Amino acid sequence: MNKRFLLFVLFTLPLLVIRAGEKMKTTLSCQIYDFRGEMIYFDCVQSPFFRAEFHTNPGENHIYNFETDRLVTMLVNSRVQLVLEPGDSLHAVIRYGSNGRPERIELSGTERAVRQNNLKRDISQIQASMRYKTQLLACVAVDTKPADRLRDTRTFLEKTDKLIKLESSHCSPEFINYIRAEVEAIAYGSMVEYPAMYASVRHVPIEQQGIGDYWTIVDDYTPRDDQASLRCMPYNEFLCQYCVYQRTKEAHAAGKTYKRPQTLEEHYRELTSFFKGNQLDATLFLVLSNYIRNGKDIERVEPFLKEYKEKYNVDKSYAEILDSLMQ
């Protein structure tokens, strides 16, 4: 390799890393029609620090500018999800139907942001066209057989994988990791949860459900640990499910019965004994923040929060959010 070129790479690489982590102005704007509520709310899935509210005024352009150094998912009125990356500018025209739900959404703005959110929408449309429910109890209620659910899950994975590959060159690597994590949370979460749930509610043992070997069902899957994937909160919930599944599998192999964690203390200790690094950081943050938001006996969090920040916290924004929630 040319020495002059090598020196250029060595000196510019740190600058590129710093630039990648810089906070950049990011803009979300919305025009909303036929919404019946009095207020329009913008909320961030990943952080309570990003939020805005506006009085409902049909056709008015509600603009929210903020600075971020990483991907965020913004909720508009708790229903419409829009993903933005640092520097994005995204405008949404949202029209509500007679049922009180968003019926039509038109996007404009930064080309990449539009394509990425359209990809997210197209994946949702695949899910809707398949009538592939995400609420597993609803599947049990209508007696969806586990074998049928697993077949549909594999079809859902195949269709979304094909679509993501088709659009990946127009999207950032971070977004692709995020959207794959979102899909995998739905699919692999269903694989590990549904047979056990069906057995519990419908009283049909897993061995009699016609799904093959339940204990090898995700053996070919490696859980994600990159930062963008772990920005997906449903994926972090799946990681907690995955932990319980693997512990249940270990107990089954030993001829024992696994008791699922019920308390904050049990959840915390189970996760620290199973995960490491980014996965442990993300799942502990999820458990601690959910417990604090529940608002009951939050003083029980304090010793775990102290240990978490001293021993397990990798993403410092998590600690800032937890401290804010405790106030």
Side-chain angles (χ1 to χ4, degrees):
M1 181 182 290
N2 183 287
K3 288 184 178 179
R4 188 173 296 175
F5 178 74
L6 179 59
L7 287 172
F8 172 78
V9 171
L10 290 174
F11 281 111
T12 57
L13 186 57
L15 294 175
L16 292 173
V17 172
I18 292 170
R19 190 168 297 167
E22 277 183 356
K23 288 187 176 182
M24 298 179 66
K25 180 182 175 181
T26 306
T27 302
L28 172 62
S29 60
C30 294
Q31 290 172 280
I32 299 176
Y33 297 89
D34 302 319
F35 178 62
R36 298 173 186 173
E38 294 182 0
M39 300 292 292
I40 304 295
Y41 296 100
F42 293 180
D43 294 289
C44 180
V45 171
Q46 291 84 7
S47 171
F49 298 143
F50 300 135
R51 63 184 307 275
E53 59 183 57
F54 311 88
H55 287 282
T56 300
N57 188 2
E60 182 178 340
N61 194 12
H62 304 302
I63 304 173
Y64 178 47
N65 295 308
F66 59 100
E67 289 192 343
T68 182
D69 59 358
R70 62 190 75 185
L71 176 152
V72 295
T73 311
M74 299 298 295
L75 292 175
V76 180
N77 292 340
S78 302
R79 285 190 177 274
V80 178
Q81 285 195 20
L82 299 168
V83 178
L84 294 99
E85 294 191 75
D88 281 350
S89 180
L90 188 65
H91 179 69
V93 177
I94 304 171
R95 300 181 187 276
Y96 279 73
S98 58
N99 59 4
R101 297 180 180 178
E103 192 172 75
R104 206 170 82 199
I105 303 171
E106 300 168 8
L107 300 177
S108 59
T110 309
E111 182 180 358
R112 185 189 66 184
V114 171
R115 293 197 72 140
Q116 290 181 166
N117 281 281
N118 283 339
L119 172 57
K120 192 177 190 311
R121 176 208 60 199
D122 292 345
I123 289 172
S124 295
Q125 289 177 345
I126 288 175
Q127 190 176 338
S129 69
M130 291 180 61
R131 297 185 179 179
Y132 186 78
K133 296 180 175 66
T134 54
Q135 295 296 325
L136 297 185
L137 277 175
C139 295
V140 176
V142 298
D143 199 16
T144 301
K145 298 296 188 282
D148 293 336
R149 177 66 182 184
L150 292 183
R151 180 201 63 221
D152 291 344
T153 295
R154 294 187 177 102
T155 301
F156 175 64
L157 278 172
E158 289 170 5
K159 287 185 174 183
T160 53
D161 181 62
K162 182 178 179 180
L163 181 60
I164 291 170
K165 285 180 178 177
L166 189 66
E167 286 293 317
S168 61
S169 63
H170 304 291
C171 304
S172 73
E174 290 75 18
F175 177 81
I176 292 299
N177 283 345
Y178 176 89
I179 203 67
R180 284 194 179 280
E182 192 169 72
V183 167
E184 290 170 11
I186 295 170
Y188 289 103
S190 182
M191 287 182 180
V192 301
E193 282 286 299
Y194 193 66
M197 183 183 293
Y198 191 89
S200 175
V201 177
R202 290 283 178 175
H203 308 294
V204 179
I206 291 175
E207 295 76 15
Q208 297 175 23
Q209 293 177 5
I211 62 172
D213 187 359
Y214 171 65
W215 303 112
T216 63
I217 205 163
V218 290
D219 276 5
D220 60 346
Y221 181 70
T222 302
R224 297 174 168 272
D225 65 356
D226 63 279
Q227 187 188 75
S229 295
L230 298 178
R231 297 290 286 171
C232 179
M233 294 298 119
Y235 190 77
N236 298 339
E237 292 172 2
F238 160 68
L239 288 179
C240 293
Q241 295 173 333
Y242 181 82
C243 170
V244 168
Y245 167 81
Q246 292 294 351
R247 290 302 194 212
T248 307
K249 178 179 178 178
E250 293 168 6
H252 177 80
K256 300 177 180 179
T257 300
Y258 176 74
K259 182 184 176 183
R260 285 181 172 233
Q262 299 295 324
T263 66
L264 168 66
E265 292 79 4
E266 290 170 347
H267 277 288
Y268 184 92
R269 293 304 174 198
E270 190 69 284
L271 292 173
T272 56
S273 69
F274 186 81
F275 289 117
K276 294 180 180 178
N278 291 336
Q279 291 172 339
L280 177 57
D281 188 23
T283 52
L284 286 181
F285 169 73
L286 178 71
V287 168
L288 292 173
S289 60
N290 283 348
Y291 189 85
I292 296 169
R293 285 188 172 104
N294 191 43
K296 295 181 180 179
D297 303 322
I298 63 172
E299 65 274 3
R300 290 169 58 188
V301 173
E302 292 176 356
F304 296 105
L305 181 56
K306 183 176 184 297
E307 181 182 84
Y308 162 73
K309 290 194 289 187
E310 290 175 351
K311 296 176 63 175
Y312 305 123
N313 179 222
V314 179
D315 185 337
K316 299 308 176 186
S317 69
Y318 286 161
E320 292 176 10
I321 292 169
L322 290 171
D323 285 341
S324 174
L325 292 175
M326 287 291 287
Q327 293 175 3

